[in-house]
Amino acid sequence: MSHSPSIARVVLVPPQGRLGALDYRVPSDLGVVAPGTRGLVPLGSRRSMGMVTALADASEHPERLRDVITVLDETPLFDAELLELVTWMADYYLAPLGEAVTTALPGALRVETERVASLVGDPESEPIGAEGRVVSLLRAEGS
């Protein structure tokens, strides 16, 4: 019986600042997660697309790990040679690995996420300041 690594090292695409690879737990029911596949992962209060660059059996911060939400590809988009090339590009040009992966990834395969706000119900009291301006904008938009 073979052992499957339980940690996926993921770089965000598009990159979020200068973050390097982040570790995520691979749920046992998720299916095949391999280097070169894209996945949807939690990042703070939102979700972000990332590329799995490596698998590992352990993480330096096991208490902070969150689960990969889903895998977006049945087979890896990047093979070992292409992952090695984008890693070299990032090192050579002193760029974040996420930028090198984004450069190599066809535009049609990039997933953009956005935040959406909508007004649910009416506030009991009229909000003031920045919160009041946001509520006014949402009312004007009909959201």
Side-chain angles (χ1 to χ4, degrees):
M1 184 157 123
S2 67
H3 168 73
S4 298
S6 59
I7 308 295
R9 298 236 156 85
V10 177
V11 294
L12 302 176
V13 177
Q16 305 289 317
R18 299 203 56 88
L19 282 177
L22 302 173
D23 289 353
Y24 287 91
R25 217 177 7 250
V26 178
S28 58
D29 63 343
L30 194 55
V32 177
V33 177
T37 56
R38 295 172 303 148
L40 194 61
V41 295
L43 183 67
S45 62
R46 63 184 189 276
R47 297 174 177 190
S48 189
M49 185 186 82
M51 175 73 70
V52 177
T53 58
L55 298 174
D57 290 319
S59 173
E60 290 182 23
H61 307 286
E63 72 284 351
R64 297 175 60 194
L65 292 180
R66 296 173 73 184
D67 290 348
V68 173
I69 297 166
T70 191
V71 177
L72 302 174
D73 308 303
E74 289 182 16
T75 59
L77 297 176
F78 288 13
D79 61 14
E81 288 86 16
L82 188 51
L83 280 172
E84 189 177 323
L85 175 63
V86 295
T87 301
W88 175 86
M89 287 171 43
D91 290 342
Y92 185 82
Y93 292 106
L94 303 176
L97 184 55
E99 281 186 31
V101 169
T102 301
T103 300
L105 192 64
L109 298 177
R110 296 180 194 150
V111 174
E112 298 290 332
T113 58
E114 63 181 39
R115 288 187 180 200
V116 177
S118 59
L119 190 58
V120 179
D122 244 348
E124 291 183 19
S125 61
E126 198 58 36
I128 58 172
E131 187 176 304
R133 290 191 295 277
V134 170
V135 169
S136 295
L137 286 171
L138 290 173
R139 283 183 182 146
E141 293 285 326
S143 298

